[in-house]
Amino acid sequence: ENLKGPTSGANANKIIVPTGQTLAAPGHVIQTVHGHYATTVSTSAGGAVETGLAVSITPKFSSSKILVTVSQNIQTSGSSYCQIALRRGTIGSNTLLSVMVDPEGYNNSSDEEINQIPFSWLDSPSTTSATRYFVSMERLSGTTIYAQTSSTGNSVSTMVLQEIAQ
């Protein structure tokens, strides 16, 4: 059905959605949530650990998609290899959404490699409950890996969640 606002008065050419009603246009952004983390996290053990970068969103509609955009700071040293992944939930109970990247340190070297890893993912959580997204890192081999660090101190990792109407 076509919607048309009044042609005159205080609300001329405006469409007002009454309380209790919703208006959703497919593809538009319903809400945006942003988070960042700047504290160094490290691991030298096997198994996935959180990098500290985590953001929650409560979708307004179960049919919505969530566009996740990440910029994750990771540092490897020596011949370290690690896996960086985007997950939904918590470290003990989560859904692996995607492996972001497998950065590797310089082989047979004590030099450090610092990566600011950009990544995006379109998720379908099918819920109106609070939904938590986070980044995990896992040392696959070598020495310690770090998140949110640089040669001059802590570096910031960021995540933006946008609910997209369907």
Side-chain angles (χ1 to χ4, degrees):
E1 187 171 326
N2 292 329
L3 300 175
K4 184 177 179 184
T7 57
S8 62
N11 294 316
N13 300 314
K14 293 182 184 177
I15 297 172
I16 299 171
V17 179
T19 302
Q21 301 293 309
T22 58
L23 176 65
H28 88 275
V29 175
I30 297 170
Q31 63 174 313
T32 300
V33 181
H34 174 267
H36 66 278
Y37 197 73
T39 302
T40 299
V41 175
S42 65
T43 184
S44 56
V49 298
E50 292 194 30
T51 66
L53 182 59
V55 178
S56 293
I57 190 169
T58 303
K60 297 191 185 308
F61 305 99
S62 62
S63 60
S64 294
K65 305 282 188 192
I66 304 297
L67 178 60
V68 183
T69 306
V70 172
S71 180
Q72 176 66 61
N73 175 274
I74 293 293
Q75 175 186 323
T76 59
S77 60
S79 58
S80 296
Y81 295 88
C82 65
Q83 181 181 81
I84 311 302
L86 177 64
R87 299 173 185 264
R88 180 181 352 114
T90 60
I91 199 69
S93 173
N94 66 78
T95 300
L96 173 65
L97 298 176
S98 181
V99 172
M100 292 168 56
V101 74
D102 292 325
E104 67 180 58
Y106 296 112
N107 285 322
N108 303 316
S109 170
S110 62
D111 292 344
E112 297 176 342
E113 180 175 331
I114 300 171
N115 296 293
Q116 194 69 33
I117 302 166
F119 183 80
S120 61
W121 182 260
L122 187 61
D123 188 34
S124 302
S126 301
T127 186
T128 56
S129 297
T131 304
R132 181 177 183 266
Y133 293 88
F134 69 96
V135 177
S136 69
M137 62 183 179
E138 181 175 358
R139 184 189 64 80
L140 301 175
S141 68
T143 58
T144 306
I145 57 172
Y146 302 87
Q148 292 82 235
T149 191
S150 70
S151 58
T152 60
N154 290 352
S155 181
V156 177
S157 294
T158 61
M159 182 184 296
V160 176
L161 304 178
Q162 292 184 303
E163 180 179 2
I164 309 297
Q166 294 304 298

